[in-house]
Amino acid sequence: MGLESLRCEQLPDTILPYLEDELPSEEAALVQQHVAACEGCAAYAGMVRSALCEEIRGRVYAYLDRELSTEDRARIERHLSLCAHCSDRFSFEGNVLHYVRREAQQVSASDPALARILERFRAKIEAELA
Amino acid sequence: MSTTSTESVTLTFEQEAVPHLPALYRTALRMTRNEQAAEDLVQDTLERAYRSFDRYEPGTNFHAWLFKILSYTAISTYRRQAARAQTTPLDGMEEFNLYHQVRRTGIEASDVEASVLDRLGEGAVRDAIDALPPEFRLVVMLADVEGFAYKEIAQIVGIPIGTVMSRLHRSRRLLQAALCEQACAAGIIKAEARV
């Protein structure tokens, strides 16, 4: 890519690395300049950004459940550091999940029921053996 | 099998199974939503596990193995009953988007636990879980209460890992919708007319 300017047809190849903060700073500055000046590319960049955010948010539970690889975690965390909307959403989901886990785990098993279950199980097995 | 060796198998099985009973009963309670039915389900699970105990490979995950039997028994029992009884429809539940309602009320996303959820009464989560279809209730219990990994849930329920993820995603959306409904009803957040 020439460093003096960026043409519209170059945007599809650069927009995603740009949004994911993977471009060298000079190239990133060119993309930024172009998008600021070109209405069509600004709309396009907006669409790609929405699609990227949607993809990231689709993985919120895999992230919170610690089911992602180290690379995927890092990629999501980089996005969260750049995107206030997704960061807000992740924080919300983390809060709700924390609450649900804490509350649901309080459903404790009552001891009399456990003893009864075991007693009935033994009686049944003994009856079969007799 | 002689009586003596059968007795020793029974004893070994019991020793192995007893530590898992509280967790099994806890999940059974949410799957059946009824104490008597939960006892029956766990007892049924124990019997099935005992009868196929010779097929259990020592050293593998006994906890997950018992949950696999419980899940299978719970879902097949449910399917038998479902043929007779109608289930609660979930239509429209997803319109209660907790995130949007909370943000609209002006509450910060990071404050939702303290400002909204902790103000819901005791049993709010239990009621929200109970409102889910049984297949969804099961993955929520296995993931959020029992702490199984996606891979283990896939093996326990007998579904692909991608299905575990999508089912869990949908379950949590529905759970949030139920909590949102409760929060609106309690006046903690303002209900918004459907858009």
Side-chain angles (χ1 to χ4, degrees):
Chain A
M1 192 197 319
L3 280 185
E4 24 338 298
S5 72
L6 181 119
R7 296 188 309 278
C8 293
E9 57 268 32
Q10 289 175 297
L11 201 70
D13 289 339
T14 47
I15 190 66
L16 204 54
Y18 168 73
L19 291 173
E20 299 207 275
D21 201 24
E22 283 167 353
L23 285 185
S25 55
E26 304 86 28
E27 283 188 47
L30 287 177
V31 175
Q32 196 177 14
Q33 268 169 30
H34 182 88
V35 169
C38 176
E39 213 176 295
C41 284
Y44 175 76
M47 269 162 49
V48 175
R49 183 190 289 278
S50 309
L52 175 63
C53 289
E54 203 178 306
E55 188 218 321
I56 297 284
R57 287 180 206 180
R59 306 177 84 178
V60 61
Y61 293 131
Y63 175 82
L64 293 172
D65 289 332
R66 304 202 143 265
E67 293 272 352
L68 292 178
S69 65
T70 319
E71 300 83 63
D72 284 350
R73 276 196 85 75
R75 184 174 160 247
I76 284 181
E77 278 161 10
R78 199 165 55 235
H79 180 83
L80 295 181
S81 71
L82 298 166
C83 177
H85 288 293
C86 285
S87 175
D88 194 59
R89 192 62 192 250
F90 270 58
S91 157
F92 169 84
E93 295 292 344
N95 253 262
V96 178
L97 205 56
H98 180 262
Y99 164 78
V100 167
R101 290 200 164 131
R102 177 167 54 88
E103 287 294 308
Q105 278 167 355
Q106 281 178 1
V107 182
S108 68
S110 76
D111 291 347
L114 301 184
R116 271 198 303 275
I117 291 166
L118 209 53
E119 221 167 273
R120 280 168 61 199
F121 166 74
R122 279 182 193 141
K124 190 129 184 191
I125 301 299
E126 272 166 30
E128 278 176 26
L129 293 178
Chain B
M1 202 166 4
S2 76
T3 309
T4 328
S5 75
T6 308
E7 269 166 7
S8 89
V9 168
T10 312
L11 194 66
T12 311
F13 174 78
E14 263 194 38
Q15 282 168 345
E16 288 270 357
V18 164
H20 306 283
L21 284 182
L24 291 170
Y25 182 64
R26 183 165 60 181
T27 294
L29 270 177
R30 293 281 59 76
M31 290 309 292
T32 58
R33 300 179 288 196
N34 173 293
E35 287 182 10
Q36 187 55 53
E39 280 187 34
D40 292 346
L41 175 58
V42 176
Q43 201 215 323
D44 200 4
T45 302
L46 277 186
E47 276 182 50
R48 285 175 193 240
Y50 175 73
R51 288 183 215 296
S52 45
F53 193 40
D54 55 341
R55 269 174 280 154
Y56 166 72
E57 291 169 43
T60 60
N61 193 338
F62 190 65
H63 190 63
W65 186 71
L66 288 175
F67 267 90
K68 187 174 183 163
I69 298 172
L70 179 90
S71 303
Y72 176 80
T73 312
I75 294 296
S76 54
T77 306
Y78 167 77
R79 291 216 174 105
R80 271 202 307 279
Q81 289 166 350
R84 282 178 266 135
Q86 286 292 313
T87 51
T88 332
L90 284 156
D91 296 342
M93 256 180 101
E94 284 196 286
E95 287 182 35
F96 286 93
N97 186 311
L98 184 62
Y99 178 74
H100 291 134
Q101 300 286 22
V102 163
R103 298 299 277 126
R104 221 178 43 82
T105 309
I107 295 164
E108 288 297 316
S110 53
D111 281 342
V112 66
E113 194 170 4
S115 302
V116 179
L117 301 171
D118 280 341
R119 292 172 61 197
L120 295 173
E122 202 186 318
V125 168
R126 187 197 57 216
D127 292 346
I129 291 176
D130 283 1
L132 296 171
E135 286 87 351
F136 287 31
R137 228 182 292 149
L138 182 59
V139 292
V140 166
M141 290 302 292
L142 294 175
D144 292 342
V145 182
E146 304 307 334
F148 284 111
Y150 291 176
K151 208 173 120 195
E152 291 173 312
I153 298 173
Q155 283 162 0
I156 289 169
V157 186
I159 52 176
I161 200 159
T163 311
V164 172
M165 291 171 78
S166 56
R167 197 174 284 182
L168 201 50
H169 198 99
R170 202 162 151 70
S171 304
R172 286 170 173 165
R173 292 259 81 81
L174 289 167
L175 207 59
Q176 283 189 14
L179 293 172
C180 183
E181 220 175 340
Q182 291 184 30
C184 288
I188 297 166
I189 49 178
K190 282 168 272 170
E192 182 187 33
R194 285 177 189 181
V195 187

